[in-house]
């Protein structure tokens, strides 16, 4: 019975995802500290919706009264988890492949600005490199999305929008699943004076449903295939005429470690690491949770959905419980 319980738990792990924590300046802040997190981990699929800015709508978010101090030119880590209580071994289903991105918007008050509208600029992107997707890199990193904060931007309050896009069902329009949350940060030590990037963008407005990076059959791609990351070009200090390093990161990849650890966060923000072993995906006698993959060409996991959900085909390569 204990073995069956462990198998059932493994089958329910990782479907959608939430940006739950930020690590900055050597401190890993508690879950939902300075981030407008939802209790539900669902995606946004309508790229014209105001919910594309900082989530909401079908995934209502909870306001935070905290602002996190971030040094210009530093690297922060957006920490992703399947739910608000998941660990580092439960980030997102591995089938949810796609790019990762991050944007900044300078605001007067990070606590109250909705994020909707203009002022956004992209500072990080990681698409498809030699068969490896940006989301896969985040999962391998234990949920860490590495984001370099440009050194040349003005100090002040910003919204940091971290995003993961899942393309497993993106062969049809509006099939891409976009996951994003906004962290409320105060950037200090910027060398940009009062000058913002020369070009900024509106959310919604950065994506179209027919963008090649959002309407794509990832199952027909080979390791040498070219993928176009959606959205505007990534901001760099050199292109903006600014000085110094920290011009925004290109990928989320960092040196991999040889062990798998689970971060345990206390209410004070301290972190301990607990080594864990991830159970293999069972191939029978199990059920898949809501939104988990349950079928498709080459799929060998659970094909029966937990009640009351049924396995629905999205395309030849992907079916999910819904």
């Amino acid at each position: 019975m204990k073995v069956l319980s462990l198998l059932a738990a493994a089958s329910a792990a990782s479907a959608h995802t939430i940006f739950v924590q930020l690590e900055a300046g050597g401190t890993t802040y508690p879950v939902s500290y300075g981030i407008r997190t939802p209790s539900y981990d669902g995606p946004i699929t309508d790229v014209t919706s105001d919910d594309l800015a900082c989530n909401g709508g079908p995934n209502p978010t909870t306001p935070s009264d905290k602002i996190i101090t971030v040094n210009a030119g530093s690297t922060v880590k957006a920490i992703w988890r399947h739910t608000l209580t998941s660990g580092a071994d439960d980030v997102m289903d591995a089938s949810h492949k796609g790019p990762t991105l991050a944007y900044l918007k300078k605001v007067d008050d990070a606590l109250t600005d909705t994020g909707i509208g203009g002022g956004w600029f992209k500072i990080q992107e990681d698409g498809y490199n030699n068969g490896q997707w940006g989301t896969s890199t985040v999962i391998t990193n234990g949920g860490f999305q590495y984001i370099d904060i440009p050194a040349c931007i003005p100090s002040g309050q910003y919204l940091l929008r971290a995003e993961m896009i899942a393309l497993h069902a993106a062969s049809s329009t509006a099939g891409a699943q976009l996951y994003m949350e906004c962290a409320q940060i105060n950037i200090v030590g910027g060398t940009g004076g009062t000058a913002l990037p020369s070009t900024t963008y509106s959310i919604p407005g950065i994506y179209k449903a027919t963008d090649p990076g959002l309407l794509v059959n990832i199952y027909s791609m080979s390791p040498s295939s070219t993928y176009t990351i959606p959205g505007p070009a990534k901001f760099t200090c050199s292109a903006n005429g600014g000085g110094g390093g920290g011009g925004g990161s290109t990928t989320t990849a960092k040196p991999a470690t040889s062990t798998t650890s689970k971060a345990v966060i206390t209410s004070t923000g301290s972190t301990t690491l607990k080594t864990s072993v991830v159970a293999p995906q069972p191939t029978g006698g199990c059920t898949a949770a809501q939104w988990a993959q349950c079928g498709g060409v080459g799929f060998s996991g659970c094909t029966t959905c937990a009640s009351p959900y049924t396995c629905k085909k999205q395309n030849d390569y992907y079916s999910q419980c819904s």
Side-chain angles (χ1 to χ4, degrees):
M1 184 63 68
K2 183 176 181 180
V3 172
L4 291 177
S5 297
L6 290 173
L7 291 177
S11 71
S14 309
H16 295 171
T17 193
I18 304 172
F19 166 30
V20 299
Q21 290 171 275
L22 188 70
E23 180 179 318
T27 298
T28 300
Y29 292 89
V31 170
S32 301
Y33 187 102
I35 305 174
R36 306 163 185 183
T37 54
S39 57
Y40 179 63
D41 60 354
I44 300 298
T45 57
D46 180 1
V47 297
T48 67
S49 167
D50 286 347
D51 301 325
L52 190 68
C54 292
N55 208 345
N59 317 305
T61 58
T62 301
S64 172
D65 61 355
K66 304 294 191 294
I67 295 177
I68 299 172
T69 298
V70 173
N71 290 315
S74 68
T75 299
V76 300
K77 300 175 187 175
I79 302 174
W80 292 85
R81 297 287 184 260
H82 173 205
T83 69
L84 296 179
T85 58
S86 298
D89 56 354
D90 189 11
V91 177
M92 183 170 68
D93 193 283
S95 65
H96 287 34
K97 301 180 186 300
T100 65
L101 312 96
Y103 295 81
L104 282 175
K105 177 179 180 176
K106 195 172 190 308
V107 296
D108 293 329
D109 187 346
L111 297 180
T112 61
D113 195 289
T114 65
I116 299 168
W120 291 98
F121 55 101
K122 183 192 290 183
I123 61 169
Q124 182 270 329
E125 59 182 12
D126 187 10
Y128 184 70
N129 304 287
N130 299 317
Q132 176 83 352
W133 285 99
T135 55
S136 302
T137 299
V138 170
I139 293 172
T140 300
N141 287 344
F144 289 156
Q145 177 187 4
Y146 293 83
I147 303 169
D148 293 338
I149 304 299
C152 61
I153 59 177
S155 297
Q157 294 188 21
Y158 287 78
L159 295 179
L160 169 62
R161 179 183 180 275
E163 180 176 34
M164 299 228 280
I165 301 178
L167 301 173
H168 54 283
S171 56
S172 58
T173 304
Q177 297 181 357
L178 292 81
Y179 302 89
M180 78 298 295
E181 275 76 40
C182 289
Q184 302 162 175
I185 65 174
N186 181 46
I187 294 179
V188 297
T191 61
T194 60
L196 286 169
S198 56
T199 304
T200 60
Y201 303 87
S202 177
I203 300 179
I206 52 171
Y207 306 140
K208 295 180 180 179
T210 54
D211 285 346
L214 297 178
L215 183 59
V216 57
N217 180 4
I218 64 173
Y219 306 102
S220 65
M221 297 174 64
S222 69
S224 61
S225 294
T226 299
Y227 169 75
T228 302
I229 299 173
K234 181 173 67 70
F235 168 79
T236 62
C237 289
S238 58
N240 197 56
S249 54
T250 300
T251 73
T252 55
K254 295 291 179 180
T257 60
S258 58
T259 60
T260 300
S261 299
K262 178 178 179 179
V264 181
I265 310 301
T266 69
S267 60
T268 61
S270 61
T271 306
T272 59
L273 292 179
K274 178 181 179 182
T275 301
S276 60
V277 178
V278 181
Q281 176 69 31
T283 57
C286 60
T287 58
Q290 184 187 21
W291 308 120
Q293 184 174 4
C294 55
V297 175
F299 178 70
S300 59
C302 303
T303 56
T304 300
C305 297
S307 178
Y309 309 110
T310 58
C311 190
K312 297 180 181 178
K313 181 178 178 179
Q314 306 295 310
N315 52 54
D316 290 341
Y317 299 90
Y318 191 86
S319 299
Q320 72 178 13
C321 294
S322 61

